Each structure stands twice: as structure tokens, then as C-alpha cells.
Amino acid sequence: MDFTAGKLSNEHKEQLRCASESADPLTLSALQISPKSPRSPKSPKSPKSPRSPGDRHSKHGTDRGSPLKHKKSSHSPRDGRPKKGGCGGKGTWGGLMDTDDVHAIDPNDPNYTSSEEVTDLNCRNSLLQKCRDTERTSTKDMVAAFEEYKKKAIILVEEYFQNDDITSTANELRELGMSCYDFYFIKKLVSMAMDRHDKEKEMAAVLLSALYAEVIKPQQVYKGFSKLLESADDFIVDIPDAIDILALFIARAVVDDILPPAFLAKANSSLPKDSKGIEVIKRAEKSYLSAPLHAEIIERRWGGSKNKTVEDVKDKINNLLIEYVVSGEKNEACRCINDLNMRFFHHEIVKRAIIMAMEKQQAESRLLDLLKKTTEEGMINSSQLSKGFNRIIDNIDDLSLDIPNARMIFQSIISKGASEGWLCISSLKSLSTQLEKQEIDEKLVKEFKLKAQSMIKEYFLSGDIEEVSRILESENSSCLAELNAIFVKKLITLAMDRKNREKEMASVLLSSVCFPADDVVNGFVMLIEAADDTALDIPIVVEDLAMFLARAEVDEVLTPQHMEEIRSQFFEPNSIGNKVVLMAKSLLKGRLSGERILRCWGGGGSSTNGWAIEDVKDKIRKLLEEFESGGDAKEAYRCIKDLGMPFFHHEVVKKSLVIIIEKKSERLWGFLKECFSMGLITMYQMTKGFARVAESLDDLALDVPDAEKQFKVYVERAEVEGWLDSTFSFNRLGHNSMENGFC
């Protein structure tokens, strides 16, 4: 394309590229016109021009004999061009645009005039310019259409954030009639939501899920998120935590089944290695999609389904299945499933429907018909269907205790589903009498143990957590649970035989490698099982293991439920496992237990060696005072993140509340609100912070007489905001109660 108006700006180039990508390729194919002289047929009426001397030469030299001997045109007076649109042959005229060089204007022709050549040249130039103008006009129209779409897309997003009307937004997007540009709507919707509150982020995620497939094609959704990743470097200029927010949007899209999981790998291979988009993909994979119960956590991160608990959803599923068995109304059952708006939890519907069919065999046919309908219509995807069946396979032995012949009935259901074509047997686990465990080559385990011991010893010398993480990823690229558990056991075993410095470093590393909680639990179980042998070298093995276990809960590597899971595997009251768990619980119930456990080995829980707990407290106090006196909020958020101590964020809550009560600072209250909404401070840490303030009210009342009255008001406000969990309650006599006693 020839642009004569000068160079294009980068913005225009981007517009032109986007327009070209979305347009029909056939409309952009340029009409190729050769700049050479047109080939026109020689009129049979014009007299033959005399041959010039130059025409006498051929590849054999100078012509000798007849001057027409070597002439390549036909000597017949018949016009040999193909007939109207034909392809040549005897007695034809030629195509509509066919020309012939032999009839180009000849200056030696007796009828030649100089004005004829000028006129012919002007005609050719005019035709060429006209083609170029047509092409340029077509491109300008596309760019103009794209510009118009961009303006309307921004208005649509703004209106949606104001009225929260999905139906209206979908209709207006359809009316635009430019579905080839819908990728831009995706990009603009997400980018505008990234710079707003959690309410808008959740609204954007819900709208994407609602428009997917019905209004916006999957290819456009894929392309829109690809464009977002390409623009990650630009987003971070205006939005400091853009990487985390965009990673969460992508994880949410995968959970909502509007992006395939393979999108992450493909995007990773197409982006430059130094791109921020690569960091976004890694954050989405490691921080969100790899976490236990990640679907529920991601779905609730921005306040979505905050009034729904897992038990509530399970009850609704159970009720709709019971009503369906009684009424047989498939359409009503499908509507109820859609109203749940929890695609990632459809495996629970599959599981409960099959168990109900096994318990009430007279309802089996009706329930299987419902599964067939929802699967064939795409309401329940194949992944959720397989997951529901596999969950039953994992628990088939327990079901056999309540349902006679459970295994046989279940096998029959699988056969029926496969024969009707809505169930793929190859995606299911093997249904056998023995529990199948992943077998790992003994040689591989021995090699990993040696390498793990070597990297742990090197870590104790260097303190380089990133290097350990890198080696772990390369040595255990398949993320085998058994190897993770072996690493946990080896790490703590080597640390127990060393000084407090190494014990502190081991706890910090354990909270940094982000192993699945089940793998850490298995590691502790292996440690306790080997405690009798370990006691020969380390007499205080029970005390050390209890402290490591308590520290894992304080660092939020494990939860109280995981501790009960460990205890359940050691039934005898006098067993070492039971003693370890009971001692860990007693450590956690003490006053200010969290701080004492963090300082038990002389560290402050930070990955930076040498930080004492008082240093961390001092840093928190200074950043809060600076913010309260007019400092920048984004800088305060960054400082909290830089501490690298998410398990100690309750100190931020406590100190903020003390300043709020002393100075009645609404600015700090808004700061806490924003920290909670962006996920910087979790509900667990928020509850701990309020509990610690409740414990210190007597001391606070010496400086602020109405401290208790103010605190009650702030507790009520926090409950309205949804900051506190059910374990917290406040009253003056008992101050407060918390399940784990951390205060």
C-alpha cells in the first residue's frame, strides 16, 4: 500500500493492524496492476507498419529472407483471442481484459502522433491511481469503523458498571454488529475494571461469563486475553499490582470455563521472555490455579458468592435433585442448575445424582436422563462430569458400607453412560478392589533424597530461597506429591539436628515453596512415624516437631483442620503423633502465641535473615503513621507487600485500629477496607488483629477513656463489611473468643 502523506504514527499502525486482522481477507486483496505498457490488440484495419532494422534480429542472429519469417504473431486475419470470457482456442476473441504487446503504440506507424502516446500514458496512470485510491479508501473505512467501535465499547463498559444490567449490555453489543472487534471489548472491559474496586472486577468477570459463546465468540475471548497479556507492561505503569489482578482475571476465566487451561502454555510460548505477561501467567498458575480448593477461593476473591457457602450450595443441589426425582421436570432442573452460577462446582451435581441413583434404584433412569441432557447441551462439561465420577471411584469402598453391591451398581451406571455416548470411560480412574497409588521408581526416590539433602545443606549456608525453588521445579517437574512430602521430611529432619538459625530458615523455606497443604501434611506424618528412630539422635524430637507444626499453622502453611487430619492417623493416646499434635495445640492456645512462636528460634518469620519481630513492628508503625499523615496509599500497599510476612498482617490491623481509636482516623479505616478488598489482608488476619485489640483494651483505656465504646462500633462496622469470621465474638466480660487463641 502506498501512503504518500508521510509516515504513520504507532497508534495508526496499531489501528490498521487490528482492522486488517479482523477484516475478511478477500476484501483486502489489492488489485495488482503492472506498471508496464498495456497490451492492446492490433487493429486489423490499420496498415502494417514497415519493420525496423531492430526487428530483424532473433536468437539466431540477423534475419535473412522474408521479413515476416520470424514474426511471432499469427499471419491469419482472424482475431485469435478467446470469445466472451472464454479461454482461447481456434476462432476465439480473448478475455475481457486481455492485451497484446505487439499492438503497443509504435512511433514508426504512419498514423502515429505524439499526443496519442501521452494520452495512453495518462490513461494508464489514471487507472493505477484509481486502484490505489480505492484500496486506500477501503482501509480508511475499516480504521474509521474500528475507531467508532472503540468509542462505543468504552461507553458500553461505563454504562454497565453503573447499571449492572447484563441483558441490556448484551443486546447493545449485538446491535453494534461488529463481532470481529469483540476482542477489543474484552480488553477494554478487563483493563477498566483493573483500575477500579472489587465490585467492578466481579461485575466484569460475571459479564464475561454471561456473554461467552452466546454473544462473544470463544476465538474473540481468546484473542482479547492475549491482547491483555501483550499490554501487561503498559498496565503496570498506572496500576502497580496489575500483574496480580490480571493473573486473577485469567485464573477466573479458566475457572469459569471461558478460557481453556492450554491458553496459559500457548501464551507463554508466544510472549517475549522479558515481558510482564510471562509473570502474569506464572502468577496465575502458581498462586491461584495450583492452590487447594482454588476454584472456590478465586470465585470469592472479589466478593462473588460471598453469601454462599459450600454447604449452602450442596443443600441447594440436593433439594433440586429431590424435586426433580418427584416431578420429572428436566427444564426446571436445568434452570435451577443455571441459577447456581457455579460451573466449577458441577462435579458435585454429578456425584450427588449418581449416589442418589445408587440409593434409590427406581429413580436411576430419571437421574441418568438428567445427566445425559445436561451433558449433551454443554451445561455440565466433560471435565466436571469425569471429576464427579472419579470422586465416587475414590470413595467407593466407603459407599459400599451403606449401599450393598455399590461397586456393581456403579459399574452398571458407567456402562449405561458409555453406551448412550455421554460418558467417556477413558477419562475415568480404574475401578478396582485395591486402591491404586502412583508408583514411583525406587531409584528415582533415592536420587531425589540425595539431591534434596544436598540442596538443603547448601541453603543453610547461602539462604537463597529462589535457588532452592528453581532446583525443586527442575528435579520435580511433575510435582509428584510423594517427592514433595519427602522434601518436607528431609528439611525438618536436617534442621532439628542443627541450631536455631537453621530451624528458623527451614520454617521460612517451608512457607515460601508453596507446596500443596496435603503434601506438607504427608511430610509431617512421615516425620512422626520416624520419630522413634529420630529420638535416638535428637532426644527432644517431640518438642521440636510440635514447634515446627505450630509454626506451620502460624505461617498459614497448614490450617487447624490439617492438624486434626494428622492427629486422626495416630489413634493411641500415648502415641508420639498424638503427643506432638496436642503439644502444638497447647502452644497455639497461649496468650500472644503467634508472636512467641514466630520468635521461638530468634527470627521474625521473615525471609530476610536478621529481622527481629520488633524491627517488623517498627516498620509497620512508621508506614501507618506516614500514611495517616497524608502519605500515598499505593506506597503503603507496596511497603506491606515488601515485608514479605502475610502471616503477620494482623499486626497491621492491630496498629491501625489503635490509631483509629486514638485519633478517630477515617482515612486509616478506608485503608484497611482497601487492603481487605484487594486481598492484601485476609479475613483470618483481620480477625486476629481485632482479637488482639480486644485483649489490650484495658491498657488502651488508660489513654482513651471511651476505647471500649469505640471498639464496639468498629466491630459492628467490620461485621457489616464482612471482615470477621464466625470464630470472633466480643463482649466486655470475656473480651473475645477465638478458636485458635492467637491474640
Side-chain angles (χ1 to χ4, degrees), residues 375-509:
T375 303
E376 290 178 344
E377 293 183 358
M379 192 177 301
I380 297 178
N381 61 36
S382 58
S383 173
Q384 294 290 314
L385 183 70
S386 300
K387 188 173 182 180
F389 271 86
N390 285 330
R391 288 181 63 195
I392 295 178
I393 292 173
D394 291 337
N395 298 302
I396 192 66
D397 289 332
D398 295 334
L399 288 172
S400 299
L401 300 176
D402 302 319
I403 305 172
N405 300 321
R407 190 181 298 276
M408 188 181 301
I409 297 171
F410 184 56
Q411 184 65 60
S412 171
I413 291 174
I414 292 176
S415 300
K416 289 178 182 178
S419 63
E420 292 175 3
W422 54 270
L423 178 64
C424 178
I425 295 181
S426 62
S427 64
L428 304 182
K429 297 179 180 178
S430 174
L431 184 63
S432 60
T433 54
Q434 299 294 328
L435 291 176
E436 295 188 350
K437 294 185 178 180
Q438 189 175 15
E439 296 294 335
I440 302 178
D441 185 14
E442 291 185 6
K443 184 179 179 181
L444 175 64
V445 173
K446 288 181 179 179
E447 289 178 356
F448 181 80
K449 285 181 177 180
L450 292 174
K451 291 178 180 178
Q453 183 167 336
S454 175
M455 76 173 81
I456 291 169
K457 288 181 178 179
E458 186 175 342
Y459 165 69
F460 286 155
L461 295 174
S462 65
D464 192 345
I465 294 176
E466 292 184 1
E467 179 67 14
V468 176
S469 300
R470 185 188 64 77
I471 297 174
L472 273 175
E473 287 181 5
S474 62
E475 295 297 335
N476 188 14
S477 56
S478 301
C479 298
L480 297 176
E482 185 172 339
L483 297 186
N484 287 341
I486 289 171
F487 182 83
V488 172
K489 177 189 175 185
K490 183 66 68 174
L491 173 66
I492 295 176
T493 301
L494 290 174
M496 286 193 299
D497 199 23
R498 283 169 169 75
K499 297 181 180 180
N500 285 347
R501 173 182 174 273
E502 284 77 11
K503 293 175 183 176
E504 173 67 19
M505 292 177 70
S507 289
V508 170
L509 180 60

Side-chain angles (χ1 to χ4, degrees), residues 212-249:
Y212 178 76
E214 295 184 8
V215 180
I216 300 179
K217 297 177 181 177
Q219 297 91 334
Q220 293 291 317
V221 175
Y222 194 102
K223 185 176 179 180
F225 276 96
S226 298
K227 295 288 185 185
L228 285 165
L229 285 174
E230 292 171 7
S231 303
D233 295 275
D234 299 328
F235 292 146
I236 204 168
V237 175
D238 301 317
I239 309 170
D241 52 349
I243 291 176
D244 187 68
I245 298 174
L246 186 53
L248 192 51
F249 264 112

Side-chain angles (χ1 to χ4, degrees), residues 458-648:
E458 186 175 342
Y459 165 69
F460 286 155
L461 295 174
S462 65
D464 192 345
I465 294 176
E466 292 184 1
E467 179 67 14
V468 176
S469 300
R470 185 188 64 77
I471 297 174
L472 273 175
E473 287 181 5
S474 62
E475 295 297 335
N476 188 14
S477 56
S478 301
C479 298
L480 297 176
E482 185 172 339
L483 297 186
N484 287 341
I486 289 171
F487 182 83
V488 172
K489 177 189 175 185
K490 183 66 68 174
L491 173 66
I492 295 176
T493 301
L494 290 174
M496 286 193 299
D497 199 23
R498 283 169 169 75
K499 297 181 180 180
N500 285 347
R501 173 182 174 273
E502 284 77 11
K503 293 175 183 176
E504 173 67 19
M505 292 177 70
S507 289
V508 170
L509 180 60
L510 190 60
S511 65
S512 301
V513 292
C514 299
F515 283 157
D518 290 340
D519 297 351
V520 179
V521 167
N522 291 335
F524 273 101
V525 170
M526 292 167 66
L527 281 163
I528 293 171
E529 289 174 345
D532 288 327
D533 296 333
T534 309
L536 299 175
D537 301 317
I538 308 171
I540 57 170
V541 63
V542 173
E543 291 82 354
D544 277 353
L545 281 177
M547 187 60 76
F548 271 110
L549 192 57
R551 176 63 179 269
E553 183 174 325
V554 170
D555 289 347
E556 298 185 3
V557 175
L558 299 177
T559 64
Q561 288 78 8
H562 290 127
M563 199 169 292
E564 288 300 324
E565 184 179 340
I566 294 172
R567 186 182 179 186
S568 66
Q569 300 193 38
F570 303 96
F571 300 103
E572 297 180 7
N574 294 324
S575 66
I576 290 181
N578 197 42
K579 290 179 181 178
V580 168
V581 175
L582 289 176
M583 186 174 292
K585 284 188 171 183
S586 66
L587 290 170
L588 289 165
K589 286 181 180 178
R591 180 180 170 84
L592 301 176
S593 58
E595 293 184 21
R596 286 202 301 271
I597 291 171
L598 282 173
R599 290 184 290 183
C600 64
W601 291 311
S606 169
S607 59
T608 305
N609 294 329
W611 274 19
I613 201 71
E614 295 304 324
D615 295 334
V616 179
K617 287 184 175 182
D618 188 53
K619 288 178 181 292
I620 292 173
R621 179 182 59 78
K622 287 180 179 178
L623 76 87
L624 290 175
E625 288 176 353
E626 182 178 344
F627 172 77
E628 200 273 334
S629 62
D632 182 48
K634 291 182 179 180
E635 179 66 17
Y637 303 145
R638 187 189 63 77
C639 290
I640 292 176
K641 288 181 180 179
D642 288 348
L643 289 175
M645 300 177 67
F647 50 82
F648 200 56

Side-chain angles (χ1 to χ4, degrees), residues 329-339 370 373-374 377 379:
E329 291 289 337
K330 292 182 186 177
N331 293 333
E332 179 63 17
C334 291
R335 186 191 64 78
C336 292
I337 292 173
N338 277 330
D339 288 346
L370 177 63
K373 178 180 174 64
T374 53
E377 293 183 358
M379 192 177 301

Side-chain angles (χ1 to χ4, degrees), residues 198-300:
D198 282 358
K199 176 189 173 186
E200 284 79 8
K201 295 184 180 77
E202 177 65 21
M203 288 172 65
V206 171
L207 180 63
L208 287 175
S209 182
L211 298 180
Y212 178 76
E214 295 184 8
V215 180
I216 300 179
K217 297 177 181 177
Q219 297 91 334
Q220 293 291 317
V221 175
Y222 194 102
K223 185 176 179 180
F225 276 96
S226 298
K227 295 288 185 185
L228 285 165
L229 285 174
E230 292 171 7
S231 303
D233 295 275
D234 299 328
F235 292 146
I236 204 168
V237 175
D238 301 317
I239 309 170
D241 52 349
I243 291 176
D244 187 68
I245 298 174
L246 186 53
L248 192 51
F249 264 112
I250 291 175
R252 177 67 177 267
V254 173
V255 167
D256 287 345
D257 287 331
I258 65 174
L259 269 185
F263 169 82
L264 299 172
K266 291 182 179 178
N268 191 38
S269 62
S270 63
L271 290 169
K273 292 185 179 180
D274 58 344
S275 169
K276 294 294 181 184
I278 298 292
E279 295 182 32
V280 172
I281 293 170
K282 290 181 178 178
R283 181 74 59 85
E285 287 179 329
K286 294 184 179 180
S287 300
Y288 295 114
L289 295 174
S290 299
L293 301 176
H294 65 272
E296 295 173 26
I297 295 171
I298 292 170
E299 201 266 344
R300 295 184 185 186

Side-chain angles (χ1 to χ4, degrees), residues 672-683:
L672 286 180
K673 183 177 180 179
E674 192 63 27
C675 286
F676 182 79
S677 66
M678 67 193 298
L680 188 58
I681 297 179
T682 63
M683 181 184 290

Side-chain angles (χ1 to χ4, degrees), residues 31-34 36-41 81-87 93-101 123-124 127-128 130-131:
L31 178 61
Q32 299 296 328
I33 303 295
S34 173
K36 296 181 180 179
S37 300
R39 298 165 61 90
S40 58
R81 291 171 295 147
K83 294 179 181 178
K84 301 178 180 177
C87 297
W93 302 339
L96 183 63
M97 299 295 291
D98 282 357
T99 59
D100 193 347
D101 273 344
C123 289
R124 282 187 278 119
L127 178 60
L128 184 60
K130 186 176 181 180
C131 293

